[in-house]
Amino acid sequence: MTSSDPRHQPEATSTIAAASGAAAPHASTPQTVDIEQTRNVTELLMQRVRTAPRHIAFETRPAGKPLDAEWTQITTREFADQVSAFAKGLIASGVRAGDTVMIMAPTQYLWAVVDHAALFAGAVVVPVYDTASPAQLQAIIADARPVLAFTGTAVHGERLAQAATASGTEAPQLRLLDPDPAIPNDASLAGLAELGTTVTDAQLEERRLAATLDDVATIVYTSGTTGDPKGALITHRNLVGQVLNTAAAYSEVVQETGNTVLFLPLTHVLGRALQLICIANGMRVAHLSDPKEVVQSLAILRPTFLVVVPRVLEKIEDAAANSAREKKVLPLWRAAHRAAVAWGVHLEAMDRDPGARAPLGLRLRHALFDRVFYGKLRAVMGGRIDYLLSGAATLRPELARFFRGIGVPVIEGYGLTETTAPLTGGRPGSLVAGSVGTPLPGNAVRIADSGEVLAKGVGVFAGYRNPVHTEQAFVDGYFRTGDLGSLAPDGTLTLRGRLKHVIVTSTGRTVSPESWEQTVEQHPLVAHAALVGTDRPYLTALVVIDTEAATAWFRDRGDAPARALTEDGLVVCADGRLTEEISAAIHRANAAVSPSERVQAWEAVVIGEDRASEFVTPTMKLKRQALLDEAASITDGLYR
């Protein structure tokens, strides 16, 4: 796709929203960085090699070692040398420019290496979740037809081979990231590097520079929370434009002196975009493959910036409350929590009016609680975090204000795979809890008559592999996000839910379920909530129990856990202890909506680990339709 395509031309005006009653509300921000001089995405690394070859780019932990083991530092030059060695191996193994190379592995340093190696070799990278179901793997491998695949382990490789056979597709060559010396040479990374010794630097450089900005760099398959995988074509222009413009918008956050812990799946475009931003700007990166290690790692790695999903922040908040409960100071903690939220509200007011002054009582309470609670909580998070970025799901405004109130501001952002991650984002100095900020440089947002958020700009992808899907996804040059939203006069976007999630009852009532669901999901024992009611006379709901939190809750009470917590599959949890505890959240949610929007009956369910990936995405979002389809008999029972 050429740069003349209207989908890649951001509006030239400053960020502004149209007046009510005029044209469709819109907002846009011009590009701040000229990307035309950057050949392709590989130049982001090479420019760092030329300017700061000895700068520490990564920290890695030896396989199998604990978090507090000594981490190895890797310079930009060392990283680039590894990338070049594997890229030469890919060329020697027969990978041609434009071929697809798959990566199926958990987040780790070597993921970054082979991702860049494939791009250096001129290949198109196809990331795949290592938790993908057999059906998803079959669909992806049949469509992408990779010639080579990097997998985390031999088990991943076997799953790929089985998927290829089942789909009637030729199996790709396999290279394992696993450092086990027992792996055969023709399947190891060491063997790949040896193979590449026959390729010259000049041959590699020719291949590295083959792709232009308008060539496809990666195909990301997204089914989101519904539907079959669709291959989104993301170009070098998308990646380069987003990386350089986003970094410019957050220059006080993304710095050479900073560091981050990356635990989001690198298969997800947000994790990958963040990694590219860090590489291009010198922010040190440490990878974690297990999200359960994140909180423990913060005090060890001490990041200055962290990208999280809301669920991580909720767990930190819950852990602080549980600690206060154990120490018999829960009432004091609740007062501290209220003070932090109030202080967050005050800081938002100061953004609008620097002369705003908090009441004396609030200043005194905040100072006291900072010594008693907030400082300790910041220490648990490493003591150096300047900002958090929350994405991939909706963040409760109260939670954003709480973290800002304790001294850890949260930047809320919004984007999709099809917008190459960040489309809008709050800016330091103008953060508003509950909104996802204004368009990032080079991007534009418009609100359709239906309330749908439409997007255009440097980050908007080239289309899907299937032209039919592409045609359906665009209107007037804008990408249809499927999200509902509104624009404030200053161009700030607030999301209102998903267009497809709107419920129309048999009585003709239209209900957006997100507000009710988010209120219920605030309860620490609830992982997800799903409102039900399309073509039904009244609303019901499914409440998905957080098994880890519920197990700990029973343990703290000295009770035997509910049997449903250990069962496989999707099962009803009728344990009266849990349902009684959660019913308070149901009442709060019902009280916050009109009578016709209240839930009349609900059922608690547990999703076993064996089927978690079928109902929850790797970024912890509920696959709503999959849950509703599987639980149809349960919801039917709520209407009898």
Side-chain angles (χ1 to χ4, degrees):
M1 182 167 293
T2 65
S3 59
S4 61
D5 192 295
R7 283 175 286 187
H8 294 290
Q9 300 301 313
E11 299 173 27
T13 59
S14 300
T15 300
I16 186 170
S20 175
H26 69 278
S28 62
T29 305
Q31 290 194 53
T32 55
V33 178
D34 179 12
I35 67 172
E36 296 301 330
Q37 304 308 311
T38 304
R39 177 69 183 179
N40 58 41
V41 74
T42 66
E43 275 295 291
L44 299 177
L45 171 58
M46 294 309 298
Q47 287 167 7
R48 283 297 299 174
V49 171
R50 297 178 194 119
T51 58
R54 297 182 180 178
H55 186 77
I56 303 301
F58 294 95
E59 293 177 293
T60 63
R61 174 179 50 160
K65 295 293 184 179
L67 280 171
D68 56 1
E70 185 176 355
W71 288 64
T72 301
Q73 296 185 328
I74 297 174
T75 66
T76 306
R77 167 59 71 186
E78 290 169 336
F79 174 66
D81 287 345
Q82 283 185 284
V83 167
S84 296
F86 294 148
K88 289 180 177 180
L90 290 174
I91 295 171
S93 67
V95 174
R96 299 168 299 179
D99 281 347
T100 51
V101 170
M102 184 176 284
I103 306 177
M104 181 180 174
T107 294
Q108 56 186 291
Y109 167 71
L110 286 175
W111 208 112
V113 175
V114 299
D115 180 27
H116 278 74
L119 293 169
F120 269 52
V124 175
V125 178
V126 180
V128 178
Y129 287 109
D130 60 312
T131 56
S133 69
Q136 289 172 326
L137 286 179
Q138 291 171 29
I140 293 171
I141 206 167
D143 187 65
R145 298 185 178 273
V147 299
L148 185 143
F150 292 103
T151 63
T153 64
V155 173
H156 295 145
E158 291 170 4
R159 292 181 59 213
L160 272 184
Q162 291 167 1
T165 300
S167 64
T169 307
E170 183 177 351
Q173 301 178 47
L174 292 179
R175 292 286 175 174
L176 276 60
L177 304 189
D178 190 334
D180 188 344
I183 294 172
N185 207 46
D186 62 357
S188 70
L189 289 183
L192 184 65
E194 290 175 12
L195 194 63
T197 56
T198 60
V199 177
T200 67
D201 291 343
Q203 289 173 310
L204 174 60
E205 189 69 358
E206 180 182 2
R207 185 69 72 85
R208 183 182 74 80
L209 296 175
T212 68
L213 284 174
D214 295 308
D215 287 320
V216 175
T218 183
I219 304 173
V220 180
Y221 285 85
T222 173
S223 57
T225 55
T226 61
D228 295 324
K230 293 188 292 187
L233 305 174
I234 295 176
T235 65
H236 287 266
R237 179 181 298 278
N238 295 144
L239 289 169
V240 171
Q242 288 291 67
V243 166
L244 295 182
N245 281 283
T246 301
Y250 294 104
S251 58
E252 61 189 274
V253 178
V254 182
Q255 305 177 39
E256 282 190 345
T257 56
N259 67 299
T260 190
V261 179
L262 186 51
F263 60 92
L264 291 176
L266 286 173
T267 303
H268 192 280
V269 71
L270 177 58
R272 199 137 156 248
L274 171 63
Q275 181 164 265
L276 282 171
I277 288 172
C278 291
I279 290 172
N281 293 275
M283 178 172 270
R284 192 168 73 253
V285 177
H287 296 90
L288 289 180
S289 59
D290 185 359
K292 294 180 180 178
E293 292 184 321
V294 173
V295 175
Q296 182 187 353
S297 76
L298 300 181
I300 297 170
L301 296 169
R302 305 187 67 215
T304 60
F305 175 63
L306 201 63
V307 175
V308 297
V309 294
R311 193 63 181 157
V312 172
L313 300 185
E314 290 167 354
K315 286 184 176 294
I316 293 174
E317 181 187 44
D318 292 343
N322 290 334
S323 176
R325 184 180 294 107
E326 292 173 1
K327 295 174 181 177
K328 312 297 185 184
V329 292
L330 186 57
L332 190 62
W333 164 252
R334 287 173 175 161
H337 189 283
R338 290 192 296 270
V341 173
W343 194 256
V345 172
H346 163 64
L347 294 177
E348 284 187 19
M350 285 189 63
D351 284 344
R352 297 187 297 270
D353 176 12
R357 188 167 176 81
L360 177 60
L362 177 58
R363 296 202 304 271
L364 292 175
R365 291 197 305 275
H366 187 269
L368 170 64
F369 291 137
D370 191 67
R371 290 193 296 271
V372 177
F373 289 114
Y374 308 155
K376 294 177 182 178
L377 194 50
R378 291 195 301 271
V380 168
M381 299 173 69
R384 297 179 68 229
I385 292 181
D386 296 320
Y387 291 95
L388 296 166
L389 172 63
S390 176
T394 302
L395 178 67
R396 288 187 286 115
E398 181 187 83
L399 190 59
R401 292 180 177 122
F402 165 74
F403 274 93
R404 188 172 187 183
I406 69 168
V408 187
V410 180
I411 297 170
E412 296 180 64
Y414 165 65
L416 306 93
T417 295
E418 292 87 347
T419 62
T420 318
L423 173 67
T424 69
R427 312 292 202 277
S430 59
L431 300 177
V432 180
S435 83
V436 291
T438 56
L440 292 174
N443 291 294
V445 166
R446 176 173 291 171
I447 306 299
D449 291 343
S450 63
E452 183 177 13
V453 178
L454 308 177
K456 182 167 70 170
V458 70
V460 176
F461 73 144
Y464 295 109
R465 292 267 289 175
N466 187 332
V468 174
H469 292 156
T470 303
E471 185 177 351
Q472 296 169 346
F474 285 87
V475 57
D476 297 332
Y478 281 81
F479 172 66
R480 302 183 59 188
T481 67
D483 290 309
L484 297 170
S486 61
L487 285 168
D490 65 353
T492 298
L493 176 66
T494 298
L495 299 177
R496 305 297 184 189
R498 288 287 293 171
L499 188 62
K500 289 183 178 180
H501 293 170
V502 169
I503 294 170
V504 181
T505 66
S506 61
T507 61
R509 181 74 182 185
T510 299
V511 179
S512 292
E514 282 80 6
S515 177
W516 189 93
E517 292 169 349
Q518 290 163 16
T519 300
V520 174
E521 288 170 353
Q522 292 178 29
H523 195 289
L525 298 182
V526 176
H528 307 282
L531 211 59
V532 182
T534 296
D535 297 329
R536 303 281 197 168
Y538 55 85
L539 298 175
T540 62
L542 294 174
V543 176
V544 181
I545 302 297
D546 184 323
T547 54
E548 184 179 339
T551 301
W553 182 75
F554 279 115
R555 184 178 61 246
D556 292 344
R557 287 163 50 105
D559 288 351
R563 189 171 65 178
L565 297 177
T566 59
E567 294 185 11
D568 291 335
L570 176 68
V571 296
V572 172
C573 181
D575 189 285
R577 295 165 296 176
L578 275 178
T579 54
E580 181 180 357
E581 174 70 18
I582 295 170
S583 63
I586 304 294
H587 293 317
R588 280 196 301 274
N590 277 346
V593 298
S594 66
S596 62
E597 295 176 312
R598 292 172 185 167
V599 160
Q600 304 300 313
W602 60 281
E603 196 77 82
V605 297
V606 172
I607 299 173
E609 286 190 14
D610 61 318
R611 300 190 64 188
S613 63
E614 295 179 41
F615 303 110
V616 181
T617 72
T619 52
M620 302 184 188
K621 289 186 289 188
L622 180 68
K623 296 180 181 179
R624 180 191 299 264
Q625 196 56 51
L627 175 67
L628 297 183
D629 289 345
E630 181 74 10
S633 62
I634 299 173
T635 54
D636 284 346
L638 295 174
Y639 290 94
R640 295 194 186 105

